[in-house]
Each structure stands twice: as C-alpha cells, then as structure tokens.
Amino acid sequence: MSAIQTILVENRVFPPSEAMVKSAHVSGMEAYRALYEESERDFEGFWGRLAKEHLVWAKEPTQVLDESNKPFYKWFADGELNASANCLDKHMGTPVEHKTAIIFEADGGEVTKITYRELLDRVSQFANGLKAHGIKKGDRVLIYLPMSIEGVVAMQACARLGAIHSVVFGGFSARSLQERIIDGGAVAVITANFQMRGGREMALKAIVDEALALGDCESIKNVFVYERTASTYPMTAGRDKTFAQLLEGQSTDCPPVMVDAEHPLYILYTSGSTGKPKGVQHSTGGYLLQAKLTMEWSFDLKPEDVFWCTADIGWVTGHTYVTYGPLAAGATEIVFESVPTYPDAGRFWQMIERHKCSVFYTAPTAIRSLIKAAETNEKVHPKNYDLSSLRIIGSVGEPINPEAWVWYYTNVGGERCPVVDTYWQTETGAHMINPLPGATPLVPGSCTLPLPGIFPAIVDEAGEELPDGVGGLLVYKRPWPSMVRTLWGDPERFKNTYFPPEMKGWYLAGDAAVRTIGDSYYRVTGRTDDVLNVSGHRMGTMEIESALVAKTDLVAEAAVVGRPDDVTGEAICAFVVLKRPVPEGDEAKAIAKELRDWVSKEIGPIARPKDIHFGENLPKTRSGKIMRRLLRTLAKGEKITQDTTTLENPAILAQLGQTY
Ligand code: WTA
C-alpha cells in the first residue's frame, strides 16, 4: 500500500541512540530540561549569556530585552555587530578559514567549491561594487536570483554594508516583484539573466524588466545581472550592469559596517490572510543569534558535518539555514541549483552519496513526491544509494504526516538518523518547536517540545489557556530574540496581526495545535487563517482571489479555498463566477487554462490553482456572505451534508461540484 495514502496511527516512540546522546551538544533530556529551566528561571540572563557566547560583537550589549514599547520588542539594543563579519570574518585565522564553506551543485551536476576565505573575498568585493554604486547602510536591495553561490554572496554583501536585502523567490511574477520593489522602496535589483531548472533555461532579467516597466519603480537606480548562462538578454544602458562590470577593479577588502543589534538585516515578504503580502522585518543581532544557535541545538552541527538545507534562498528557510545559520556556525554546506526530480527523482539521494552529506533538511512535500517516485520506479528508491554518511534528517514547512515520517526515517535515515521535525515561521526567524537529536524521544508527526527560551501555549478564541489534549490556537507567551520586529512600513498591521487584544499581549502564530496528554508533545495541525500551505509555500487565498477578479473581462467573482493533497499538502481550488454563462466541456477547460495562466502571470506559477469550478453564483447566506465551509466540502469532491437552509441559492451547489 502506498506510504503516502494510508492513514497510519503511529504510536511508536523513537528514543535517541546512546551514541547520539553521548556526542550531542545537548546531551540527553536532562540537559535539555536544565537549559529550559535556566531560561524560565532567568529569562534575560539566559539570552544574554547566549548572545555573548555565540556572537562576535563590536560593542557588547549591556541590555538584553527592552519591553518599553510592546509589542515592538528590542533585543540587545545597545550592542553593535555585523552579520557578515559573524559569518565570515570571525573564521579568519581559525581552522575554518580554509575549510569549504559551500559545495555548489549546478542543474547539470557541475560542482564548484569555495572556502570561507574565498567567500569572504567574494563578499567583500561584491560589497565594494555595491558601495561604488552608492548603496549604503539602510538602503533596500531587492535580490531575485537562483540558488547559487552568487545568491549567498549578494545577501552577505548587503549585510556587510548594513543594506537591507529583500529576496524574492524566482517563481514570483513581474507583478509580485513590482509590488515588493514599491513596498520596500528598493534602490537596486540584483538578478541573473536566466535560471536553470531541470535542464531548461528560464528568464529572470526579462521579468525584472517587465516589473520595472509596470511603473512606479523610480526608486531603482541599478540592476546588476549575474550571467548564469551564455544566452543574450536585453540591457538598459546606464541602469543595468553585469556582475563583471560591478566587480571590475574592486578590492577584496571591505571593512564590515557595524550596526546596532536592532538594525534591520532583511525584509522578507510572506502571505497573510488579507490584502497584500507582508514585509516581515528581521533584526541583525537577535536573528543571527538564533540562526547560529539552532544549528547546534536542532542539527547538532559538528565541524566535520556536511550540511544540506534544500530550501531556496527566496524563503525564510533559505535565509536562516542557507545564508546565515550554517556560515555563522562554520559549516560546510551544499547549495543546490535545481529540483529533486532532475534528471530523475534519485537526485537528492545521489547528491547525499556524492557529497557525503551528514545533515539533510528538506520539506514533507519533497519527501512525499519522492516516495511516489520511488514507488513507481525502483531505480530512484533511496535503497540504491549509499546514504550511510547521514546522521540527522530534518523536515520543515508543513506538518509531516506519520506515513511520510516513517518512510523518511526508514529509507533515508536507515532507522539510525533522528528526524528533526522543525516547526517555525517566517516571522519567528528560526526554529521554535522541535526535537533535539541527542535528547528528545521522537514521535512521528509531532514537532515535540519547544526549544529552551521559547514559551508556547495553546489557547481558545478568548485567549484562555487550554490543557493538554484540547486543540486551540498556538501562541507564544514571551518574546524571543529572532522574532519579527514589525511589518515593513505597516506597524499597525503588525500589531493587529500578531498581537490582537484578546491574546493578552501574546504572539498569535496563526496555527492550530494540540498537545498530547502525558508528554505534552506539540502537534501543529494547520493554519487558522485564510493562508494555504501548498508544497510548503504560504499562499493567501485573498491574494489569489484578487488576482482572479483582476481579470475583469472574464471574472465577476471568485472564492479560493484549499483541499488536502497527497503530495503538496494542500491544493488551491478556485470557485469562479464568470461574466458569461457557465461554460461546459471543452470551453470550460479552455477558460480554466486561461485563468490558471493568468494567476501564474499575476502572482507566480506557485499560485496556479489546481482545480477550477464554475457556477452562476457562489453559495451565500441571505446576508450575502460566502459560505466557505461548503466550498471546502465541494473542493474535496464530497457530498454536502451540512445544513444548507440558510443558503440563498442551493441549486448552484450541483453546478459548482464540477472540476476543471
Ligand atoms: C507551517 C516556514 C507543521 C505552519 C519555516 C507555519 C509547519 C507556516 C511546520 C510557516 C512544521 C512550518 N509542522 N507546520 N514542522 N513548519 N509549518 O512562514 O502553518 O513559510 O505557520 O515558514 O508553515 O510557513 P513559512
């Protein structure tokens, strides 16, 4: 039976091996509890101690937490440091200087390695190039690059100057890019001519040109282009420069600009339940502390490890566990340009074998799609590869179902490697709730216990705490150093979204969760707002609805909901009322395709609806409210058993049941 589809009730507990306990940074549950208790007993002392131990400061902070302007918390506010110096300079003169920092594997399999020394030189030279174009502390720089050493260099170079990067995932459209340029007021874009994915060349620079041509992007003075491929592309004289032109004559020596711990390191846009994407703003000191710390706590990083986080730098996981955490921890890390299914679905396993990866970190969606592939094609099953280098395997981005967990543990981890299921968010900056590999007994499908210094609780709608066994809303009762500081340019939205009045000043995560009776292990079950999690990517239903109704020649009204999907976790389903009679057959298929293409163009291919349903109206109550729970039932292809007596027009349910 398929490992993806069976509903497994998994009650087994997997304790860490003795060897793992012995060698781990946090060795055994006693050690975990001691740390946790220290953080409870002396919250500020705990974080203050770690900040001194894990970061290199130009000026050591004397303050830990400043709560004078809640919920705009400040951490280590009078300290000064530089993020890039903490990732690179600090390793010079140590054994890490000539260690491999990045093993880059390109789409076609070519490998490039770069040491910490070389990376520091490249980052410094790049920073000097940016500086020569007037980019300085506090300026926003938009980065739209493929997974590459260049991507890491560009981000680190911004950090070196105190410039604030805003990375946009390469799968977003020109319109999304323009929105983010305007919202952040970026002064430059760093992009590539093309990106390579699965043997195909895909334009990036052309999309930047299109975004700038949409208008209101006057803040952009320069576009810097990494020539990833030899193919030609249009350049605008004066504005556009190749990387070669940017770097020409620049020295490889660039002193890092020391900034306050609270200085914004970056903005990263993520979907919310309403309106446009939110610019999550992260700090330098607090963020970096937890990025570095969790490399040791969650991944038990050792000097000889080869770490691989498969996330793109366009997402928070790529920020924390590709660009900052591994380098701050002095790790050798793999950066992979392409997709797990090219040239076949054995690519991840082949790369683990090839590079002797020891800590592997990926998303449940990738695992589920590789299970599917291995079930249909023996050749790409992990058993055909030597995965004995693996020590620890991690999961991130969405709930991992017990079936996928057990498959991952058995077939990839060889029943030897702990599965570290990490629950966190763009807004939290770093891991929040997850097992520690040398301490926490594992339960498939549970992210287990909070990290030391993190104080979650489960509450009801009124903010009242709930006991173990009762599901509710996940909150955090105390702030933490790597938390979101504000939403760029919208402090009101920050307050309303994360600190609504009924939550008593606690941070509201937007997720539902429950703790198991007995061990108080957390299980996060999904979002409580109108945010979908599709392949581990957050998508706002309202965003997709707005995109659909923006097709004014065709669409009168649209509602978007999610439905469960075997591989992608959730799938996007759009219910559409057209400005013409309800189509059928080939006509309906053609219009559905037109709408999918339109959404891809408006937001990006990741927002493409999987199912489209047409009807002459949407199910509404007499007061005109769309009944989304009915749509969710229809999206699943199930019969309506709910009460529909309050429905204005029950007849349309049959119409809307059809999927295109
Ligand atoms: C979900 C990604 C269950 C959750 C780091 C959260 C998870 C949202 C897990 C954040 C996990 C992430 N178990 N759910 N281990 N990890 N989520 O901002 O709904 O892209 O709120 O950050 O993903 O997604 P984001």
Side-chain angles (χ1 to χ4, degrees):
M1 207 179 278
S2 166
I4 312 173
Q5 281 156 13
T6 47
I7 304 294
L8 187 77
V9 179
E10 184 50 82
N11 294 320
R12 276 182 294 171
V13 176
F14 298 79
S17 70
E18 252 173 61
M20 187 69 81
V21 174
K22 234 187 190 156
S23 65
H25 283 283
V26 181
S27 170
M29 274 313 259
E30 289 308 306
Y32 160 74
R33 284 203 197 95
L35 271 174
Y36 201 85
E37 276 158 23
E38 181 195 343
S39 74
E40 265 176 324
R41 196 172 56 241
D42 180 13
F43 186 64
E44 292 202 28
F46 171 80
W47 283 119
R49 168 175 78 75
L50 293 170
K52 284 195 182 122
E53 285 172 14
H54 288 270
L55 298 178
V56 178
W57 298 90
K59 180 169 167 263
E60 269 207 1
T62 61
Q63 276 172 288
V64 177
L65 174 62
D66 175 352
E67 301 187 273
S68 57
N69 187 22
K70 287 181 194 175
F72 300 92
Y73 296 98
K74 291 182 182 170
W75 286 87
F76 320 118
D78 66 344
E80 287 174 20
L81 77 171
N82 178 278
S84 148
N86 267 277
C87 293
L88 302 170
D89 307 48
K90 86 159 182 219
H91 301 304
M92 298 305 114
T94 79
V96 177
E97 177 170 355
H98 300 295
K99 179 179 174 178
T100 300
I102 297 177
I103 302 170
F104 173 71
E105 185 166 317
D107 194 48
E110 309 81 8
V111 172
T112 314
K113 294 186 184 177
I114 178 168
T115 66
Y116 273 88
R117 174 82 247 174
E118 291 162 339
L119 187 59
L120 171 60
D121 289 349
R122 295 255 318 253
V123 168
S124 300
Q125 191 180 34
F126 202 95
N128 279 330
L130 296 179
K131 201 156 50 169
H133 286 81
I135 292 167
K136 56 180 190 314
K137 181 179 159 188
D139 285 347
R140 275 81 60 208
V141 176
L142 192 131
I143 296 178
Y144 190 59
L145 281 172
M147 282 299 280
S148 51
I149 294 176
E150 286 69 17
V152 175
V153 167
M155 291 166 81
Q156 287 278 348
C158 289
R160 199 164 187 82
L161 298 176
I164 302 165
H165 56 69
S166 165
V167 183
V168 178
F169 176 60
F172 278 111
S173 67
R175 166 96 42 211
S176 297
L177 203 54
Q178 179 218 21
E179 237 172 50
R180 286 156 175 75
I181 289 170
I182 296 172
D183 192 78
V187 299
V189 179
I190 305 176
T191 189
N193 59 345
F194 292 91
Q195 61 177 336
M196 293 298 301
R197 273 173 103 79
R200 285 196 307 144
E201 206 178 42
M202 286 150 72
L204 283 179
K205 172 62 163 60
I207 296 177
V208 173
D209 288 343
E210 203 186 320
L212 297 178
L214 287 170
D216 299 323
C217 293
E218 291 74 25
S219 60
I220 297 291
K221 301 289 175 278
N222 287 109
V223 177
F224 304 113
V225 187
Y226 162 43
E227 299 190 304
R228 168 62 185 89
T229 72
S231 305
T232 55
Y233 57 97
M235 289 288 267
T236 301
R239 186 193 73 185
D240 302 351
K241 307 254 161 72
T242 65
F243 271 23
Q245 290 165 338
L246 174 73
L247 300 175
E248 200 187 338
Q250 294 299 339
S251 131
T252 55
D253 186 22
C254 173
V257 175
M258 294 302 158
V259 299
D260 295 344
E262 280 296 313
H263 181 71
L265 180 59
Y266 65 83
I267 313 170
L268 182 58
Y269 288 85
T270 189
S271 292
S273 47
T274 52
K276 54 181 187 139
K278 309 181 279 197
V280 170
Q281 179 183 319
H282 276 293
S283 72
T284 302
Y287 172 79
L288 205 63
L289 171 60
Q290 281 181 261
K292 157 85 173 25
L293 198 55
T294 48
M295 290 300 297
E296 289 177 17
W297 282 353
S298 310
F299 298 127
D300 190 39
L301 192 87
K302 299 280 167 42
E304 57 282 5
D305 274 319
V306 176
F307 177 79
W308 183 13
C309 165
T310 66
D312 194 282
I313 51 167
W315 308 112
V316 75
T317 309
H319 281 61
T320 308
Y321 299 106
V322 176
T323 302
Y324 291 108
L327 298 178
T332 293
E333 66 167 326
I334 297 170
V335 171
F336 178 41
E337 181 177 42
S338 185
V339 292
T341 48
Y342 178 76
D344 63 38
R347 184 72 181 265
F348 274 1
W349 323 135
Q350 185 222 337
M351 281 181 64
I352 290 171
E353 174 179 317
R354 183 179 192 190
H355 302 298
K356 303 214 164 21
C357 170
S358 58
V359 182
F360 179 65
Y361 189 37
T362 196
T365 291
I367 298 166
R368 287 191 297 259
S369 73
L370 298 178
I371 294 174
K372 215 173 194 175
E375 280 175 351
T376 46
N377 175 7
E378 272 285 298
K379 281 210 269 231
V380 299
H381 195 284
K383 69 182 175 205
N384 300 313
Y385 300 83
D386 177 6
L387 305 183
S388 59
S389 56
L390 287 174
R391 247 172 28 85
I392 290 167
I393 53 180
S395 171
V396 58
E398 39 176 334
I400 178 165
N401 47 314
E403 299 80 348
W405 193 104
V406 170
W407 187 92
Y408 191 35
Y409 179 77
T410 310
N411 296 292
V412 181
E415 299 183 346
R416 172 185 84 247
C417 308
V419 176
V420 180
D421 174 10
T422 59
Y423 167 76
W424 59 297
Q425 307 175 297
T426 304
E427 293 88 340
T428 68
H431 298 158
M432 300 295 274
I433 307 181
N434 57 265
L436 304 186
T440 322
L442 308 172
V443 172
S446 165
C447 54
T448 75
L449 299 170
L451 293 181
I454 304 298
F455 296 91
I458 296 175
V459 301
D460 65 15
E461 300 277 338
E464 292 305 320
E465 269 197 73
L466 296 169
D468 288 357
V470 183
L473 310 173
L474 184 73
V475 295
Y476 294 101
K477 292 161 76 174
R478 292 189 187 178
W480 61 98
S482 66
M483 71 191 293
V484 50
R485 291 305 193 265
T486 187
L487 295 178
W488 184 259
D490 203 348
E492 273 307 302
R493 191 173 175 198
F494 168 77
K495 268 209 284 208
N496 299 337
T497 309
Y498 304 112
F499 298 93
E502 61 280 12
M503 291 299 142
K504 307 174 172 160
W506 298 344
Y507 170 93
L508 179 68
D511 279 308
V514 61
R515 276 185 315 255
T516 331
I517 298 174
D519 54 15
S520 296
Y521 270 23
Y522 282 80
R523 232 171 245 276
V524 175
T525 48
R527 303 284 309 182
T528 55
D529 51 10
D530 293 321
V531 173
L532 305 183
N533 193 325
V534 184
S535 301
H537 302 152
R538 271 166 73 170
M539 293 299 329
T541 52
M542 295 270 286
E543 261 175 277
I544 306 169
E545 287 166 11
S546 312
L548 282 166
V549 297
K551 184 131 186 68
T552 48
D553 58 326
L554 208 53
V555 178
E557 205 179 356
V560 170
V561 299
R563 68 155 168 82
D565 182 278
D566 274 358
V567 173
T568 58
E570 274 187 297
I572 301 168
C573 305
F575 291 82
V576 180
V577 180
L578 297 176
K579 288 181 173 168
R580 60 167 87 168
V582 176
E584 285 176 12
D586 287 346
E587 192 203 0
K589 278 188 204 150
I591 297 177
K593 176 170 188 308
E594 192 179 346
L595 293 179
R596 285 193 184 96
D597 292 348
W598 169 263
V599 174
S600 289
K601 189 116 188 71
E602 283 290 290
I603 304 175
I606 53 172
R608 217 177 150 83
K610 184 148 186 184
D611 303 337
I612 296 196
H613 302 246
F614 295 107
E616 64 197 33
N617 205 340
L618 297 173
K620 289 179 191 149
T621 60
R622 292 205 167 82
S623 60
K625 212 167 136 28
I626 297 174
M627 297 176 78
R628 285 173 186 273
R629 76 192 155 83
L630 289 184
L631 293 180
R632 283 191 204 104
T633 307
L634 288 174
K636 281 191 261 184
E638 290 172 1
K639 283 230 164 354
I640 303 276
T641 52
Q642 292 107 321
D643 178 14
T644 53
T645 47
T646 54
L647 200 61
E648 171 81 359
N649 44 359
I652 53 152
L653 293 177
Q655 233 174 22
L656 286 165
Q658 185 73 29
T659 312
Y660 293 95

